[in-house]
């Protein structure tokens, strides 16, 4: 498509049409002017500047005072889409170079908390347990609603190339602007004051400062703040209506109704309705289907080929390349692909977590083999894009159930063991990880399992403390291991002489598993039932005729029959397509043989 170049004096009205083209986001203001979507970008820019120049946020200036510190700024453009791929909005964010403000370069209070993904999944699990509906609020230009102390205010110059209609060259900021070192902290304090002033009955979690839990008129009320996103969980419509009125009167916010999208995650809340007309969730599913499809297009994955049956070949061990043989040309693509896969694995796809973290060690020493293996993981994720992280309450399951495992000397390069862990809340998966045991080299498998159990208990204990902070419970955590020796070691009073060389930090697990105030109950289970085994190694496709990978994946993601049938149908269609291609190739080969035989007979006759 041939596009007319837009000069500095062009007006968006000269380029009519509200339709937009799906193109890469502009990196600069100049690129936005040359974009076929200039009309929409211009509206987004003007909306952003108008929001900054509101009287209570900033004072516009036509010239800066001599000797004053003026911070440069730039526009960050983003074409935001919904989880189904449709257009949400054109967004232009004006950000400043806060690192150039030497006045606050030594400022210590710059930390702004953000919730962990485990806390988000725990919130959804609590919604299912207590029949709470999750709702979503988004605060517009959140940082611009946080007041800056008078002795910390600063001047900002408008982005290069932008000309304000009234001749303003910048602004003197009264409220925080995106990009400054202190803006995150100021907004976090503003949101916290809003919660404490309006809802004194809610308590801020000690273990995650973005989580607020309490009771309003005997009704459980939960709020999770992720920067400018407020996720509110409640069962009483009157409480939600009160929160709606409070947040709308305090901030400029938008209400999205029942939670359906969060951090590009698609959230599917399945509900049932009571005779009173109120609804409550019965199942929640998280998915990244559109993101996986976009990644395949970005990294040129041929999705028409037969997909792999597993994320990684069993026993794959890639060598670490010597420094003088590293190909730096593939470093950026490999990093980008690994980081994208890590986001998928950490949010909704635990079945690929080990494989991605294994390849992550090649980010600073890339190889073609590592890039090929990463693309295989993405292709596998595409073939199973119908998989969702399903959450359904199991009232018969313990409150918290953990699984831990290890692969002794699993890293062939360093001979370090690999630990794996996952945690369930009433049968719903809320936390998982896979990591190398870098602090020690296990001498035998029991030692590796002992260290893995200690690390798993540390992670599970954080969730346990968060729950007991608001919901007192004396029920210990059930932790499942497939090594009976470890079960004996953590429960016996005397410390075995074979474990005295292990770091003291790992022996805390013995205190947590013993005594009347113990917090963990170790239980032995067979290896085939240990769901954390998938976080320690690349499993085979089948074992003794049993599809191991599909079995573990179905357990982790809580895949229901309808989901399994969808995936089986997808694989059957791909297999049928491959069979048709093979038949077509065989038919072509037979025709070639017939033609060749005919030519040979003609030569003999001749």
């Amino acid at each position: 498509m041939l596009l007319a170049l837009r000069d500095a004096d062009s007006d968006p009205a000269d380029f009519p049409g509200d339709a937009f083209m799906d193109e890469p986001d502009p990196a600069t203001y100049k690129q936005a002017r040359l974009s076929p979507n200039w009309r929409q970008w211009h509206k987004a820019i003007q909306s952003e500047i108008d929001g900054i120049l509101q009287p209570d946020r900033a004072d516009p200036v036509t010239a800066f005072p001599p000797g004053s510190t003026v911070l440069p700024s730039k526009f960050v453009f983003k074409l935001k889409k919904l989880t189904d791929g449709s257009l949400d909005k054109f967004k232009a964010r004006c950000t400043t170079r806060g690192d150039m403000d030497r006045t606050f370069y030594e400022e210590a209070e710059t930390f702004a908390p953000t919730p962990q993904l485990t806390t988000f999944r725990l919130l959804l699990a609590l919604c299912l347990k207590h029949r709470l509906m999750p709702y979503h609020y988004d605060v517009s230009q959140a940082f611009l609603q946080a007041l800056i102390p008078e002795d910390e205010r600063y001047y900002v110059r408008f982005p290069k190339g932008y000309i304000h209609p009234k001749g303003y060259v910048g602004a003197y900021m009264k409220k925080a602007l995106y990009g400054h070192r202190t803006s995150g902290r100021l907004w976090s304090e503003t949101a916290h004051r809003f919660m404490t002033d309006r809802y004194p009955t809610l308590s801020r979690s000690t273990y995650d400062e973005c989580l607020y839990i309490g009771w309003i008129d005997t009704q459980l009320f939960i709020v999770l703040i992720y920067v400018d996103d407020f996720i509110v969980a409640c069962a009483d419509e009157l409480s939600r209506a009160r929160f709606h009125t409070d947040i709308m009167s305090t901030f400029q916010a938008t209400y999205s109704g029942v939670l359906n999208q969060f951090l590009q995650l698609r959230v599917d809340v399945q509900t049932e309705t009571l005779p009173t007309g109120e609804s409550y969730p019965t199942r929640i599913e998280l998915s990244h289907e559109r993101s996986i499809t976009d990644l395949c297009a970005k990294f040129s994955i041929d999705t028409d080929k037969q997909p792999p049956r597993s994320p990684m070949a069993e026993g794959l061990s890639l060598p670490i390349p010597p420094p003088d043989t590293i190909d730096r040309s593939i470093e950026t693509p490999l990093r980008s692909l690994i980081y994208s896969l890590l986001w998928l694995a950490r949010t909704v796809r635990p079945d690929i977590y080990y494989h991605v973290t294994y390849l992550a060690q090649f980010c600073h020493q890339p190889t073609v083999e590592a890039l090929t293996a990463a693309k295989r993981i993405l292709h596998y994720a595409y073939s199973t894009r119908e998989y969702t992280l399903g959450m359904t309450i199991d009232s018969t399951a313990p409150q918290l159930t953990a699984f831990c495992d290890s692969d002794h000397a699993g890293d062939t390069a360093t001979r370090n063991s690999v630990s794996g862990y996952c945690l369930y809340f009433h049968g719903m998966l809320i936390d998982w990880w896979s990591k190398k045991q870098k602090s020690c080299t296990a001498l035998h498998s029991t030692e590796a399992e002992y260290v893995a159990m200690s690390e798993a208990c540390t992670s599970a204990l954080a969730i346990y403390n968060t729950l007991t902070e608001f919901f007192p419970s004396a029920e210990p955590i059930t932790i499942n291991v497939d090594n009976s020796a470890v079960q004996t070691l953590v429960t016996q009073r005397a410390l075995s002489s074979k474990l005295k060389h292990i770091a003291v930090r790992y022996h805390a697990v013995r205190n947590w598993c013993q005594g009347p105030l113990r917090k963990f109950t170790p239980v032995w289970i067979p290896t085939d039932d240990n769901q954390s085994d998938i976080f320690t190694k690349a499993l085979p496709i089948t074992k003794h005729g049993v599809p191991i990978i599909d079995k573990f994946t179905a357990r982790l993601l809580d895949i229901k029959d309808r989901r399994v049938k969808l995936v089986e149908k997808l694989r059957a269609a791909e297999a049928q397509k491959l069979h048709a291609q093979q038949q077509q190739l065989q038919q072509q080969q037979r025709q070639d043989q017939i033609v060749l035989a005919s030519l040979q007979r003609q030569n003999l006759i001749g």
Side-chain angles (χ1 to χ4, degrees):
M1 180 179 179
L2 185 61
L3 302 177
L5 296 180
R6 292 142 173 81
D7 54 34
D9 298 327
S10 63
D11 186 88
D14 299 335
F15 303 91
D18 291 329
F20 73 96
M21 291 186 60
D22 195 356
E23 60 170 358
D25 298 327
T28 62
Y29 179 77
K30 182 178 180 180
Q31 291 183 12
R33 295 192 69 89
L34 299 177
S35 168
N37 299 323
W38 167 238
R39 171 187 287 271
Q40 290 86 348
W41 289 126
H42 182 269
K43 291 180 180 179
I45 290 171
Q46 203 57 46
S47 175
E48 177 73 7
I49 296 298
D50 291 343
I52 293 175
L53 295 182
Q54 290 185 16
D56 62 330
R57 297 180 177 179
D59 293 331
V61 295
T62 55
F64 298 104
S68 60
T69 301
V70 182
L71 303 180
S73 64
K74 64 169 293 185
F75 287 116
V76 177
F77 300 97
K78 182 66 177 179
L79 180 61
K80 303 197 71 174
K81 297 181 180 180
L82 301 175
T83 53
D84 59 359
S86 60
L87 175 66
D88 183 12
K89 61 181 176 181
F90 286 80
K91 189 172 184 178
R93 177 72 71 200
C94 183
T95 63
T96 184
R97 287 288 305 276
D99 59 310
M100 300 183 66
D101 190 355
R102 297 297 173 177
T103 307
F104 308 107
Y105 190 77
E106 302 297 333
E107 175 66 46
E109 293 296 331
T110 58
F111 172 74
T114 53
Q116 301 179 11
L117 290 171
T118 303
T119 307
F120 169 66
R121 290 188 288 264
L122 177 61
L123 168 68
L124 299 181
L126 289 173
C127 288
L128 292 167
K129 176 177 173 57
H130 298 281
R131 293 190 171 185
L132 309 177
M133 284 296 293
Y135 301 95
H136 185 206
Y137 289 87
D138 183 13
V139 178
S140 304
Q141 296 182 318
F143 285 12
L144 284 166
Q145 305 189 47
L147 186 66
I148 305 175
E150 292 187 3
D151 59 339
E152 298 182 8
R153 295 178 180 177
Y154 45 85
Y155 287 92
V156 172
R157 188 188 303 276
F158 286 148
K160 182 180 179 181
Y162 173 75
I163 300 176
H164 194 275
K166 295 184 178 181
Y168 300 140
V169 297
Y172 179 67
M173 300 305 302
K174 301 177 183 177
K175 292 191 175 182
L177 188 65
Y178 286 86
H180 198 272
R181 290 167 55 87
T182 60
S183 296
R185 172 180 59 86
L186 293 173
W187 164 245
S188 176
E189 293 174 350
T190 302
H192 177 62
R193 282 195 301 269
F194 165 76
M195 293 300 302
T196 54
D197 294 344
R198 299 298 182 96
Y199 300 94
T201 58
L202 300 186
S203 300
R204 190 181 196 179
S205 174
T206 307
Y207 301 93
D208 196 323
E209 296 182 350
C210 299
L211 180 65
Y212 297 81
I213 300 180
W215 281 260
I216 299 178
D217 298 331
T218 69
Q219 296 290 334
L220 182 61
F221 198 87
I222 307 176
V223 178
L224 181 68
I225 304 176
Y226 194 102
V227 190
D228 57 354
D229 291 309
F230 284 69
I231 300 179
V232 181
C234 59
D236 185 9
E237 179 62 24
L238 294 177
S239 300
R240 190 206 63 80
R242 174 188 167 186
F243 183 87
H244 181 92
T245 303
D246 291 340
I247 194 171
M248 291 297 185
S249 61
T250 307
F251 306 121
Q252 293 181 3
T254 56
Y255 173 56
S256 303
V258 177
L259 181 66
N260 57 18
Q261 179 175 335
F262 180 70
L263 299 178
Q264 294 301 314
L265 282 171
R266 180 180 177 181
V267 183
D268 182 16
V269 181
Q270 302 174 14
T271 62
E272 287 187 6
T273 304
L274 297 172
T276 58
E278 294 183 351
S279 300
Y280 66 93
T282 57
R283 179 176 171 83
I284 298 178
E285 295 181 350
L286 306 176
S287 63
H288 252 318
E289 185 173 351
R290 187 184 68 83
S291 298
I292 294 175
T293 304
D294 292 344
L295 286 176
C296 288
K298 178 180 178 181
F299 293 101
S300 304
I301 303 298
D302 188 0
T303 56
D304 292 333
K305 290 184 177 179
Q306 183 178 8
R309 289 291 308 278
S310 62
M312 183 180 289
E314 180 187 6
L316 178 66
S317 178
L318 300 180
I320 303 297
D324 56 342
T325 62
I326 294 178
D327 184 6
R328 293 297 177 185
S329 63
I330 63 174
E331 182 175 6
T332 299
L334 179 61
R335 283 179 180 269
S336 179
L337 178 54
I338 290 297
Y339 295 161
S340 300
L341 289 173
L342 275 174
W343 177 246
L344 293 178
R346 195 68 189 95
T347 50
V348 298
R349 293 300 300 266
D351 55 320
I352 63 173
Y353 193 91
Y354 164 78
H355 316 87
V356 179
T357 53
Y358 171 75
L359 295 178
Q361 62 184 326
F362 294 95
C363 284
H364 67 287
Q365 43 197 8
T367 62
V368 176
E369 293 81 6
L371 182 60
T372 303
K375 289 185 175 182
R376 169 176 172 151
I377 297 175
L378 181 56
H379 195 183
Y380 171 81
Y382 178 82
S383 66
T384 57
R385 60 191 181 277
E386 292 289 342
Y387 284 178
T388 63
L389 180 62
M391 305 179 73
T392 306
I393 187 70
D394 183 359
S395 57
T396 62
Q399 177 175 295
L400 289 175
T401 305
F403 293 83
C404 65
D405 197 11
S406 70
D407 182 23
H408 180 232
D411 190 333
T412 57
T414 61
R415 308 314 298 177
N416 288 123
S417 302
V418 181
S419 300
Y421 148 87
C422 58
L423 179 69
Y424 289 82
F425 176 77
H426 285 294
M428 297 173 284
L429 183 64
I430 60 173
D431 192 22
W432 61 85
W433 50 247
S434 172
K435 62 176 73 172
K436 286 197 293 186
Q437 299 177 3
K438 294 183 179 180
S439 59
C440 65
T441 301
L443 302 181
H444 45 80
S445 60
T446 300
E447 183 178 329
E449 296 276 359
Y450 185 84
V451 174
M453 185 175 181
S454 177
E455 293 176 336
C457 289
T458 302
S459 299
L461 197 59
I463 307 300
Y464 176 83
N465 292 335
T466 302
L467 288 171
T468 54
E469 186 178 10
F470 303 102
F471 310 99
S473 173
E475 181 182 358
I477 305 172
T478 301
I479 183 162
N480 298 278
V481 294
D482 55 10
N483 189 307
S484 58
V486 172
Q487 182 186 11
T488 303
L489 288 172
V490 298
T491 54
Q492 69 181 6
R493 296 181 60 85
L495 179 62
S496 173
S497 59
K498 296 182 179 180
L499 299 178
K500 289 185 177 181
H501 66 284
I502 300 179
V504 176
R505 63 188 298 261
Y506 295 116
H507 294 308
V509 64
R510 301 179 68 252
N511 298 329
W512 296 332
C513 296
Q514 298 178 18
L517 300 179
R518 70 180 188 278
K519 298 180 179 180
F520 293 91
T521 301
V523 177
W524 178 86
I525 57 172
T527 300
D528 291 341
D529 295 335
N530 193 345
Q531 301 179 25
S532 60
D533 193 29
I534 198 172
F535 298 107
T536 61
K537 63 179 79 70
L539 297 178
I541 298 176
T542 59
K543 181 179 179 181
H544 305 302
V546 179
I548 294 296
I549 291 182
D550 293 341
K551 181 183 74 171
F552 277 99
T553 301
R555 288 179 180 177
L556 284 174
L557 302 182
D558 189 24
I559 301 176
K560 298 301 181 183
D561 293 339
R562 62 184 185 89
R563 288 293 181 184
V564 175
K565 290 179 180 178
L566 282 173
V567 176
E568 291 178 349
K569 182 179 179 181
L570 179 64
R571 288 183 173 175
E574 292 171 344
Q576 185 178 4
K577 181 179 179 180
L578 180 64
H579 181 66
Q581 293 175 351
Q582 292 175 346
Q583 285 186 334
Q584 185 179 2
L585 179 62
Q586 293 174 359
Q587 183 178 2
Q588 183 65 35
Q589 290 175 349
R590 287 195 296 268
Q591 291 178 355
D592 293 342
Q593 291 175 356
I594 293 174
V595 172
L596 181 62
S598 176
L599 291 175
Q600 290 175 349
R601 286 196 300 270
Q602 292 177 3
N603 291 334
L604 291 174
I605 294 175

